[in-house]
Amino acid sequence: KRSGTLWEGRYKASLVHAEEYLLACHRYIEMNPARANMVSHPREYAWSSYAANAEVKPNAILTPHELVVRLGTIDAQRWRAHAALFNTELDPEVIDAIRTATNQGWALGDDRFKEQVTAMTGIRVMPTLRGRKRKSVNASVEGEQVEFGF
């Protein structure tokens, strides 16, 4: 009683401003099994990249992102720095931003990043303001043009 492919309706992607959100996305993804109470720590989840990024368990199929590599000049430094990212909880606003971007298909980054992506691609990657466009009325006050928006 199924239709379509196994992944139908499941795949979600979002363009991420790496400098601002990549490590937060790593933390968000790697903490998902712990948030779902499947494990107590991401190292316990067999399919997590945590062990390759934060412990001495390299994985031949994973290539660390440049920002992860920059966490340390040698593997041990990088692993310690990555593990330290998990010493604090992710800000709930960051979690919400990641979820919204993913579920809505928006870009994840600041407004400048989103505007640059829109300019480069011609595709809107952030929500527009809600409601109708504001009306404006032009009036003349003591010989000067004044515009009122309401």
Side-chain angles (χ1 to χ4, degrees), residues 29 37-38 41 71 75 85 88-90 100 102 108-109 127 140 145 147 149-150:
I29 291 166
N37 293 318
M38 297 166 64
H41 193 277
L71 290 174
D75 286 344
L85 294 172
T88 59
E89 295 287 321
L90 265 174
T100 300
T102 303
L108 181 60
S140 178
Q145 281 292 98
E147 184 176 299
F150 48 96

Side-chain angles (χ1 to χ4, degrees), residues 4-69:
T5 66
L6 175 63
W7 300 108
E8 182 178 349
R10 290 179 171 257
Y11 181 76
K12 306 246 183 198
S14 181
L15 185 63
V16 175
H17 185 201
E19 296 289 334
E20 191 172 332
Y21 281 99
L22 180 86
L23 294 176
C25 287
H26 270 238
R27 290 171 60 199
Y28 175 83
I29 291 166
E30 291 175 356
M31 285 302 295
N32 272 341
R35 270 194 299 279
N37 293 318
M38 297 166 64
V39 295
S40 61
H41 193 277
R43 79 171 54 88
E44 299 165 4
Y45 189 64
W47 304 107
S48 175
S49 60
Y50 180 87
N53 288 321
E55 296 181 350
V56 188
K57 295 181 183 175
N59 186 324
I61 65 170
L62 295 179
T63 302
H65 189 277
E66 175 189 339
L67 289 177
V68 173
V69 172

